[in-house]
Amino acid sequence: MSGQSDADGAQTGPRPNPKYRPGIRTVLLLVNLVVLVLPLGSMVFFRIYENQLVRETEGELIAQSAVIAALFRKAINKTATDLATFGQRLDRPPKRVSDDPYTPIPPRIDLQIAEVLPKRPDGVSVTDPVSEDLQKLGRDLTEVFLVAQRTTLAGFRLLDHRGVVIGGRGELGLSLAHIKEVQLAMAGSYVSVLRHRTLNNPAPPLASISRGTGVRIFAAYPIIENGRLWGLVYMSRTPNNILRHMYASRDQFLIIGLGIVSLTLLLAWITSRTISS
């Protein structure tokens, strides 16, 4: 018979297997691990999110520089009398890896490992003035850019092949060739760096958790045609502050916060049930 008789002769069925209950040590270990992972995960998310904002800002500078470079090329093709001698021949012009006409430049700054350079040095005077044609070209492109600057909020300098400013709000006629990123870009490669910026007002204490609060992105974009450096587009912008960006997306972060609080309450309930049972 499948059943068994007790002392009174009554039939009893097979005893059900007891439900598995984790031990107190196991529950406490899991709770401690979750409590440890939550702040670490939040910190990693914060750093990745902040770095993404910096890369987005650099990507915008690259796109704006490419447009200005295209306008510069068009103007030079119309005004220059001898394109074969215009600008300066590069010792090592950049090589095309394929015949694809599309050559995007990806953002290169990694906020976690990038060195933050000192504030950008001022321009220095030069002995040879800029030609009248280049000065006029610089003024025309500056007028176009200043209209767009109301939206882009980016700083702008247009340089000739020597690194002398021919367009922008200031420093006209001064040389920026001694600046690290400009000097490297004059060799024919796009260069971007982070530099300290001067804050008009003291940063709030909460901003100290963000590495991108007191920096500015500088991007030097060379204008190259037929192996010759025609000029450079030198742009800068402060990356979007992560705290301000988080406030703008506060609804999404509120949902995430509620999820974390719910998880914490669930862990507390599981722990209390395990201990009390």
Side-chain angles (χ1 to χ4, degrees):
M1 295 178 65
S2 60
Q4 297 179 353
S5 301
D6 56 12
D8 298 331
Q11 296 289 329
T12 59
R15 296 181 179 179
N17 295 327
K19 293 183 179 180
Y20 171 75
R21 290 181 178 273
I24 295 178
R25 289 183 180 180
T26 303
V27 173
L28 291 179
L29 178 61
L30 292 176
V31 171
N32 289 332
L33 287 176
V34 173
V35 171
L36 177 64
V37 168
L38 283 178
L40 291 178
S42 300
M43 186 179 300
V44 171
F45 169 78
F46 185 91
R47 294 304 184 191
I48 295 175
Y49 192 64
E50 184 180 36
N51 195 64
Q52 182 61 28
L53 293 179
V54 171
R55 286 178 173 267
E56 287 180 0
T57 302
E58 185 185 359
E60 294 172 2
L61 294 180
I62 293 173
Q64 296 170 42
S65 299
V67 172
I68 297 174
L71 295 174
F72 184 87
R73 286 191 183 93
K74 183 177 181 181
I76 292 297
N77 283 318
K78 288 183 177 181
T79 58
T81 56
D82 188 0
L83 296 178
T85 60
F86 181 80
Q88 180 178 351
R89 176 162 294 280
L90 296 172
D91 295 333
R92 296 180 179 179
K95 297 181 180 180
R96 300 183 66 90
V97 296
S98 66
D99 295 331
D100 190 351
Y102 300 100
T103 55
I105 299 177
R108 300 178 180 178
I109 291 180
D110 188 343
L111 192 60
Q112 312 307 319
I113 61 176
E115 178 187 4
V116 181
L117 302 178
K119 183 182 175 183
R120 200 212 79 181
D122 296 328
V124 297
S125 58
V126 295
T127 55
D128 297 332
V130 179
S131 66
E132 290 292 336
D133 291 339
L134 282 181
Q135 290 182 28
K136 182 179 184 305
L137 189 155
R139 288 193 298 268
D140 293 341
L141 290 181
T142 299
E143 291 178 0
V144 174
F145 183 81
L146 291 180
V147 176
Q149 190 183 43
R150 301 170 187 172
T151 302
T152 63
L153 305 178
F156 163 71
R157 295 288 186 272
L158 181 62
L159 316 179
D160 68 1
H161 65 278
R162 302 175 300 162
V164 179
V165 181
I166 62 176
R169 282 186 176 274
E171 300 181 302
L172 293 177
L174 299 181
S175 174
L176 304 182
H178 60 290
I179 298 175
K180 178 180 179 180
E181 55 270 27
V182 175
Q183 189 176 24
L184 293 175
M186 290 175 65
S189 300
Y190 164 79
V191 181
S192 59
V193 298
L194 288 175
R195 288 188 176 275
H196 287 290
R197 69 186 183 94
T198 303
L199 300 177
N200 296 327
N201 298 311
L206 187 59
S208 61
I209 64 177
S210 171
R211 188 167 184 252
T213 301
V215 299
R216 189 172 179 87
I217 301 173
F218 287 83
Y221 185 101
I223 306 173
I224 302 173
E225 193 70 21
N226 296 325
R228 302 185 68 86
L229 178 68
W230 283 9
L232 299 100
V233 182
Y234 187 41
M235 303 192 67
S236 64
R237 193 185 190 285
T238 302
N240 196 356
N241 186 283
I242 186 171
L243 300 178
R244 182 168 57 247
H245 198 273
M246 290 174 66
Y247 179 77
S249 306
R250 56 189 178 275
D251 293 340
Q252 290 87 340
F253 284 99
L254 178 60
I255 295 175
I256 295 175
L258 291 176
I260 294 175
V261 171
S262 300
L263 177 60
T264 304
L265 294 176
L266 177 61
L267 289 174
W269 180 79
I270 293 175
T271 304
S272 62
R273 283 291 301 268
T274 304
I275 295 176
S276 61
S277 61

Tab-separated table of all heavy atoms in Angstrom, residues 23 41 47 59 75 86 117 127 134 144 169 199 209 242-243 252 274:
chain	number	residue	atom	x	y	z
A	23	GLY	N	19.019	30.144	4.073
A	23	GLY	CA	19.458	30.456	5.412
A	23	GLY	C	19.654	31.943	5.608
A	23	GLY	O	19.726	32.730	4.656
A	41	GLY	N	27.335	50.515	-9.224
A	41	GLY	CA	26.667	50.613	-10.515
A	41	GLY	C	26.253	52.031	-10.853
A	41	GLY	O	26.366	52.472	-11.993
A	47	ARG	N	29.649	57.927	-14.708
A	47	ARG	CA	30.839	58.206	-15.496
A	47	ARG	C	30.594	57.974	-16.983
A	47	ARG	O	31.027	58.763	-17.839
A	47	ARG	CB	31.992	57.328	-15.014
A	47	ARG	CG	32.459	57.646	-13.604
A	47	ARG	CD	32.857	59.090	-13.459
A	47	ARG	NE	33.384	59.392	-12.145
A	47	ARG	CZ	33.612	60.613	-11.687
A	47	ARG	NH1	33.369	61.655	-12.458
A	47	ARG	NH2	34.082	60.807	-10.468
A	59	GLY	N	31.431	65.736	-31.045
A	59	GLY	CA	30.843	65.413	-32.339
A	59	GLY	C	30.191	66.626	-32.987
A	59	GLY	O	30.269	66.807	-34.221
A	75	ALA	N	35.170	79.122	-51.148
A	75	ALA	CA	35.606	80.501	-51.324
A	75	ALA	C	37.016	80.574	-51.898
A	75	ALA	O	37.300	81.418	-52.767
A	75	ALA	CB	35.555	81.234	-49.979
A	86	PHE	N	48.823	77.560	-53.279
A	86	PHE	CA	48.132	78.147	-52.121
A	86	PHE	C	48.321	77.260	-50.897
A	86	PHE	O	48.288	76.029	-50.977
A	86	PHE	CB	46.638	78.294	-52.424
A	86	PHE	CG	45.867	78.921	-51.293
A	86	PHE	CD1	45.878	80.292	-51.100
A	86	PHE	CD2	45.155	78.125	-50.394
A	86	PHE	CE1	45.181	80.859	-50.057
A	86	PHE	CE2	44.459	78.693	-49.350
A	86	PHE	CZ	44.475	80.069	-49.175
A	117	LEU	N	44.480	69.906	-19.989
A	117	LEU	CA	45.555	70.874	-20.163
A	117	LEU	C	45.202	72.196	-19.495
A	117	LEU	O	44.033	72.467	-19.190
A	117	LEU	CB	45.821	71.095	-21.653
A	117	LEU	CG	46.189	69.846	-22.458
A	117	LEU	CD1	46.369	70.202	-23.930
A	117	LEU	CD2	47.439	69.198	-21.915
A	127	THR	N	54.959	88.938	-37.745
A	127	THR	CA	55.554	90.016	-38.539
A	127	THR	C	54.881	90.148	-39.907
A	127	THR	O	54.718	91.267	-40.407
A	127	THR	CB	57.056	89.744	-38.727
A	127	THR	OG1	57.238	88.437	-39.311
A	127	THR	CG2	57.777	89.776	-37.379
A	134	LEU	N	42.330	87.016	-47.742
A	134	LEU	CA	42.037	86.119	-46.631
A	134	LEU	C	41.303	86.846	-45.503
A	134	LEU	O	40.447	86.258	-44.839
A	134	LEU	CB	43.322	85.482	-46.110
A	134	LEU	CG	43.894	84.322	-46.921
A	134	LEU	CD1	45.164	83.779	-46.271
A	134	LEU	CD2	42.873	83.200	-47.079
A	144	VAL	N	28.669	84.575	-40.988
A	144	VAL	CA	27.791	83.409	-41.066
A	144	VAL	C	27.803	82.642	-39.747
A	144	VAL	O	26.760	82.237	-39.222
A	144	VAL	CB	28.225	82.490	-42.229
A	144	VAL	CG1	27.408	81.197	-42.222
A	144	VAL	CG2	28.075	83.209	-43.551
A	169	ARG	N	35.681	86.173	-33.330
A	169	ARG	CA	35.331	87.381	-32.580
A	169	ARG	C	36.551	88.219	-32.202
A	169	ARG	O	36.469	89.427	-32.064
A	169	ARG	CB	34.567	87.009	-31.305
A	169	ARG	CG	33.106	86.654	-31.537
A	169	ARG	CD	32.403	86.437	-30.205
A	169	ARG	NE	30.983	86.189	-30.358
A	169	ARG	CZ	30.051	87.136	-30.446
A	169	ARG	NH1	30.408	88.403	-30.404
A	169	ARG	NH2	28.776	86.826	-30.582
A	199	LEU	N	35.709	79.711	-14.518
A	199	LEU	CA	34.296	79.800	-14.147
A	199	LEU	C	33.972	81.219	-13.707
A	199	LEU	O	34.693	81.819	-12.901
A	199	LEU	CB	33.985	78.819	-13.018
A	199	LEU	CG	34.245	77.334	-13.330
A	199	LEU	CD1	33.971	76.486	-12.095
A	199	LEU	CD2	33.382	76.878	-14.487
A	209	ILE	N	31.496	66.377	-8.104
A	209	ILE	CA	31.480	64.961	-8.470
A	209	ILE	C	31.605	64.781	-9.971
A	209	ILE	O	31.802	63.671	-10.451
A	209	ILE	CB	30.180	64.293	-7.981
A	209	ILE	CG1	28.949	64.899	-8.681
A	209	ILE	CG2	30.038	64.418	-6.480
A	209	ILE	CD1	27.645	64.240	-8.314
A	242	ILE	N	26.476	67.505	-16.661
A	242	ILE	CA	25.673	66.309	-16.417
A	242	ILE	C	24.546	66.566	-15.422
A	242	ILE	O	23.452	66.016	-15.548
A	242	ILE	CB	26.573	65.148	-15.933
A	242	ILE	CG1	25.750	63.862	-15.835
A	242	ILE	CG2	27.257	65.483	-14.624
A	242	ILE	CD1	26.586	62.635	-15.578
A	243	LEU	N	24.792	67.427	-14.432
A	243	LEU	CA	23.742	67.708	-13.457
A	243	LEU	C	22.580	68.454	-14.112
A	243	LEU	O	21.413	68.159	-13.841
A	243	LEU	CB	24.326	68.523	-12.301
A	243	LEU	CG	25.464	67.842	-11.530
A	243	LEU	CD1	25.993	68.775	-10.441
A	243	LEU	CD2	24.984	66.532	-10.928
A	252	GLN	N	12.724	60.630	-16.267
A	252	GLN	CA	13.309	59.302	-16.426
A	252	GLN	C	14.089	58.891	-15.185
A	252	GLN	O	14.029	57.740	-14.748
A	252	GLN	CB	14.238	59.272	-17.649
A	252	GLN	CG	13.512	59.375	-18.982
A	252	GLN	CD	13.267	60.803	-19.412
A	252	GLN	OE1	13.290	61.713	-18.595
A	252	GLN	NE2	13.018	60.997	-20.702
A	274	THR	N	12.713	36.201	6.380
A	274	THR	CA	13.636	35.092	6.614
A	274	THR	C	14.055	35.020	8.067
A	274	THR	O	14.129	33.942	8.675
A	274	THR	CB	14.866	35.242	5.717
A	274	THR	OG1	14.453	35.319	4.342
A	274	THR	CG2	15.813	34.060	5.892
